Amino acid sequence: MTIHEVAARAGVSPATVSRFLRGQSVRSPEAIRAAVDELGYWPSAAAQSLKSGRTHTIGVVVPDITNPYFAAVVKGMESVTRTENYRILLANSDESSEREDHVLADMARRVDGVILAPATERDQTPLKLRDSKVPLVFIDRDLMEGDEFDAVLVDNVDGARQAVEHLLGLGHTRIAAINGPPDTTPGRRRREGFLAALTARGVGIAPEHDLIGDFRESSGYQLTLSLLSLPEPPTAIFTANNLMTLGALKALHDMRVDVPGRISLIGFDDLDTGPLLRPPLTVIDRPMVEQGVLAMRLLLRRLDPQYVDDIPRRIVLGVKLIDRASTAPPKGQHVPPPRARKARPA
Amino acid sequence: MTIHEVAARAGVSPATVSRFLRGQSVRSPEAIRAAVDELGYWPSAAAQSLKSGRTHTIGVVVPDITNPYFAAVVKGMESVTRTENYRILLANSDESSEREDHVLADMARRVDGVILAPATERDQTPLKLRDSKVPLVFIDRDLMEGDEFDAVLVDNVDGARQAVEHLLGLGHTRIAAINGPPDTTPGRRRREGFLAALTARGVGIAPEHDLIGDFRESSGYQLTLSLLSLPEPPTAIFTANNLMTLGALKALHDMRVDVPGRISLIGFDDLDTGPLLRPPLTVIDRPMVEQGVLAMRLLLRRLDPQYVDDIPRRIVLGVKLIDRASTAPPKGQHVPPPRARKARPA
DNA sequence: AGGTCCACTGACAACGGTTTCATTGGGAGC
DNA sequence: GCTCCCAATGAAACCGTTGTCAGTGGACCT
């Protein structure tokens, strides 16, 4: 089913069929349309790509699609591609930089652009992409010196700050953090925000309360157990992402620790089931779908020759605290007068 | 960066470079390898596709990637493609058959095969795919008369039966079901299993307890509210998928209904947060990642000319009940002696 | 009627690989 | 030293589409 068969049936040349399909005016549109319909002709994507150099496909690389956050981001992206005649080539990096490099190199020749939620923040940006001049947009990865890429971020520092202020406002002073890997933007920045907010209020943190996880549920679980085994456990825990929050909550359940009675828990990133958990989780929420939408818009814009040389953009989205029921004043303390806590619904 | 430049630099013809890259023995492998490395050459996927007619890409169409079940299935698929030098073109159908048709038609010319979790069970199978002879594997859609496709399913009937037996075993007799759409395989079969299991045990069901939802959280929520407003509400609810279970649980929370004290809840499909919910959810669990793995294996096998004409396969995976804490004997009743309930962990 | 203009047309050459086919050259065997 | 054989080679065709280019013919004007 090639354009030649259509041309033959319509009694014109392939070039004319091609012109008709691209919207140019031709002598006998009806004949061609009829031939196309009867034959059920669709142009070969491969031939078109070869000729035009465009695949109308966007590569999307995320650490793990089963993480609800990334699923939401990808969904946002797809809502954009859908209306713009683009499609998504999806790959997981499994949080491995090697795997990520491999995937990126593979994609370089198959897509018009890439959106990447990087496994790590290593400075050497994917060379294969740079060479092949495939536009790249980062999700959750801050721009580095010399980067010529766009990025869509959330205000990680402010999110951590909000969490800390919230806990301090409740009267906590022994606050622990289960951070992400320091070589990732969210891992690094959320920790920075956490420490800075504590320091700004003159509250110290014990080194054994400042932990580094890997953003996976199991590390949230393990590190929470280690916090519980301390001679002086914290009265509140801040977890740097959704999966580690879940791990922490599981550990607290398993150890029969009352939340928030004995330990308060606040995590970065909300979950669909957040309100239904035991207890309902107080979290730092960010616009996930929107982050995907913006990243895709940024990328498609850069694909437009008109904007291809614009300076890289860095979009930072705000975050907000959702006050549910996993945080409360520490045992034997009461809310300090200056900032009363808002009543929480049910 | 074409094969011609590599050939020129290595002092051979493009044909020889091509042969070298495809593993054939060549007079001067080192020279070619050097040229390839120095130039950073990667073959053009479009040109290869055009020539070979293969894209080495698999189209995956799911109703909604943010549903944890589909995310897990896709992850399983990707674990297979990764090792087989295939990649995944992902699209959401948003549970719309029109959208699904559109996506499928688009994919027909861009992929070697398609895995589809269909929005509905309509008999007219995607024509565009049939015409272009793109192999298709169904997820969660039973084969129909004349289908020449493979399918990977779970035992929906047995899952519903297990749920019913479990509730009956606890002493429930007023059991409601929030089913999925009857034009989907899981919607239809789970309802069939539910009704059959009740009938087999001689238990009736009031028509107003046999509800039809749309697999979305909101319908689980709404239908649960409607059940609660009945003069004789059920003592147990069976929800046909994860999202509707969540919706039901939310409604029960909002209406301050004690679960499982006043109403027991059991749903199809487990959730990562299942054990952490209030209460921990009793569910019918199925192997999600494995379902994706098997579907992809089936598809790649059919891509092999050797097996292309094998008769369609239909793989049915078993399901099992995970007994947590959202189900209990109905108020004022006790567990009937014949089948004692197993102690549940914490 | 003849000339000019212009919208439309088809032949043809790409795009970047792979495959066929005839040819080359070196080694083995006598 | 000559023949035979076969592995390796390059030229060329091809995959299906689109862009270029030099027409072609009809409409309109004088």
Side-chain angles (χ1 to χ4, degrees), chain B residues 102-344:
Chain B
H102 190 257
V103 161
L104 254 19
D106 176 69
M107 281 183 169
R109 285 279 166 164
R110 322 186 82 98
V111 301
D112 294 344
V114 171
I115 300 181
L116 171 63
T120 72
E121 212 177 24
R122 67 204 193 295
D123 51 0
Q124 171 229 22
T125 41
L127 296 166
K128 279 285 187 320
L129 284 187
R130 204 177 208 120
D131 296 349
S132 40
K133 313 218 302 177
V134 175
L136 173 61
V137 173
F138 283 122
I139 288 268
D140 264 12
R141 198 264 217 187
D142 218 338
L143 264 26
M144 314 199 68
E145 213 57 51
D147 269 357
E148 62 244 27
F149 304 115
D150 300 303
V152 182
L153 308 154
V154 296
D155 198 335
N156 290 306
V157 170
D158 184 60
R161 185 196 56 75
Q162 286 187 44
V164 169
E165 298 277 343
H166 173 76
L167 293 173
L168 291 175
L170 289 170
H172 291 272
T173 51
R174 284 213 314 282
I175 305 177
I178 299 183
N179 297 287
D183 62 351
T184 67
T185 298
R188 184 170 59 83
R189 304 287 283 168
R190 287 171 197 174
R191 176 159 179 263
E192 284 173 17
F194 174 81
L195 295 174
L198 282 180
T199 307
R201 296 287 230 89
V203 179
I205 178 170
E208 65 270 26
H209 284 178
D210 179 23
L211 303 176
I212 306 290
D214 64 4
F215 278 152
R216 282 188 251 254
E217 187 174 322
S218 57
S219 87
Y221 187 93
Q222 294 300 336
L223 294 174
T224 300
L225 290 187
S226 80
L227 286 173
L228 292 178
S229 70
L230 253 30
E232 258 198 316
T235 61
I237 304 177
F238 166 63
T239 44
N241 85 331
N242 51 8
L243 264 30
M244 293 197 302
T245 308
L246 245 30
L249 191 55
K250 265 186 195 159
L252 294 167
H253 274 198
D254 286 356
M255 302 305 285
R256 308 277 196 288
V257 174
D258 180 26
V259 180
R262 206 170 111 221
I263 291 189
S264 285
L265 180 64
I266 181 168
F268 213 110
D269 282 341
D270 196 15
L271 293 156
D272 279 351
T273 50
L276 298 173
L277 291 169
R278 217 175 20 162
L281 242 35
T282 297
V283 295
I284 304 297
D285 187 31
R286 56 167 157 175
M288 313 193 219
V289 172
E290 189 189 351
Q291 209 180 343
V293 167
L294 288 172
M296 187 56 80
R297 289 232 188 93
L298 225 45
L299 181 54
L300 295 187
R301 181 185 162 92
R302 195 156 290 275
L303 258 27
D304 184 337
Q306 185 179 347
Y307 305 113
V308 74
D309 286 324
D310 282 13
I311 58 165
R313 285 216 207 168
R314 183 170 171 281
I315 298 181
V316 180
L317 270 23
V319 304
K320 69 172 198 301
L321 189 146
I322 300 182
D323 190 2
R324 290 200 276 249
S326 64
T327 51
K331 235 188 182 101
Q333 281 189 258
H334 61 87
V335 184
R339 29 175 69 214
R341 189 179 200 197
K342 261 185 284 189
R344 74 163 64 96

Side-chain angles (χ1 to χ4, degrees), chain A residues 12-13 15-16 19 25-28 50-51:
Chain A
V12 295
S13 75
T16 300
R19 280 189 272 255
S25 76
V26 292
R27 207 104 74 194
S28 49
L50 178 58
K51 188 69 175 122

Side-chain angles (χ1 to χ4, degrees), chain A residues 91-120:
Chain A
N92 293 322
S93 64
D94 292 343
E95 335 239 2
S96 142
S97 289
E98 293 73 37
R99 169 94 193 122
E100 186 180 291
D101 284 342
H102 190 257
V103 162
L104 255 17
D106 176 69
M107 282 183 168
R109 285 279 166 165
R110 319 186 86 97
V111 300
D112 294 344
V114 170
I115 300 180
L116 171 64
T120 71

Side-chain angles (χ1 to χ4, degrees), chain B residues 12-13 15-16 19 25-28 50-51:
Chain B
V12 296
S13 77
T16 301
R19 281 190 270 255
S25 77
V26 191
R27 205 103 76 197
S28 49
L50 178 57
K51 185 69 177 130

Side-chain angles (χ1 to χ4, degrees), chain A residues 32-278:
Chain A
I32 301 178
R33 182 184 307 282
V36 167
D37 287 350
E38 288 160 24
L39 263 30
Y41 168 77
W42 270 68
S44 147
Q48 285 182 318
S49 296
L50 178 58
K51 188 69 175 122
S52 68
R54 315 240 98 181
T55 59
H56 270 260
T57 302
I58 301 298
V60 173
V61 184
V62 296
D64 178 7
I65 189 66
T66 63
N67 181 325
Y69 162 68
F70 291 116
V73 168
V74 169
K75 184 155 203 211
M77 294 176 185
E78 213 231 345
S79 71
V80 178
T81 54
R82 155 175 325 188
T83 64
E84 308 281 335
N85 188 26
Y86 275 84
R87 18 204 96 58
I88 288 179
L89 202 61
L90 180 79
N92 293 322
S93 64
D94 292 343
E95 335 239 2
S96 142
S97 289
E98 293 73 37
R99 169 94 193 122
E100 186 180 291
D101 284 342
H102 190 257
V103 162
L104 255 17
D106 176 69
M107 282 183 168
R109 285 279 166 165
R110 319 186 86 97
V111 300
D112 294 344
V114 170
I115 300 180
L116 171 64
T120 71
E121 210 177 26
R122 66 205 194 293
D123 51 1
Q124 173 229 21
T125 41
L127 297 167
K128 278 286 189 317
L129 285 188
R130 202 176 211 121
D131 296 350
S132 39
K133 311 219 302 175
V134 174
L136 173 61
V137 172
F138 284 121
I139 287 267
D140 265 11
R141 197 264 218 190
D142 219 337
L143 264 25
M144 316 199 67
E145 213 60 50
D147 269 358
E148 62 242 28
F149 303 116
D150 300 302
V152 181
L153 309 155
V154 295
D155 198 336
N156 291 307
V157 169
D158 184 60
R161 185 195 58 74
Q162 286 187 43
V164 169
E165 299 276 344
H166 173 76
L167 293 173
L168 291 175
L170 290 171
H172 290 273
T173 52
R174 283 213 319 281
I175 305 176
I178 299 183
N179 298 287
D183 62 351
T184 67
T185 298
R188 185 169 58 84
R189 305 284 285 167
R190 288 169 196 173
R191 177 160 179 262
E192 282 172 18
F194 174 80
L195 295 176
L198 282 180
T199 307
R201 297 286 229 89
V203 178
I205 179 171
E208 66 270 25
H209 284 178
D210 179 24
L211 302 176
I212 307 290
D214 64 5
F215 279 150
R216 283 189 248 253
E217 187 173 324
S218 58
S219 87
Y221 188 92
Q222 294 301 334
L223 293 174
T224 300
L225 290 187
S226 79
L227 285 172
L228 293 177
S229 70
L230 254 27
E232 258 197 314
T235 61
I237 304 178
F238 166 64
T239 44
N241 86 329
N242 51 5
L243 264 31
M244 293 197 302
T245 307
L246 244 31
L249 190 56
K250 264 186 196 160
L252 294 166
H253 275 197
D254 286 357
M255 300 307 284
R256 307 280 197 287
V257 174
D258 181 27
V259 179
R262 206 171 112 222
I263 290 187
S264 285
L265 179 64
I266 181 168
F268 213 110
D269 282 341
D270 196 15
L271 292 156
D272 279 349
T273 50
L276 298 173
L277 291 169
R278 221 178 13 163

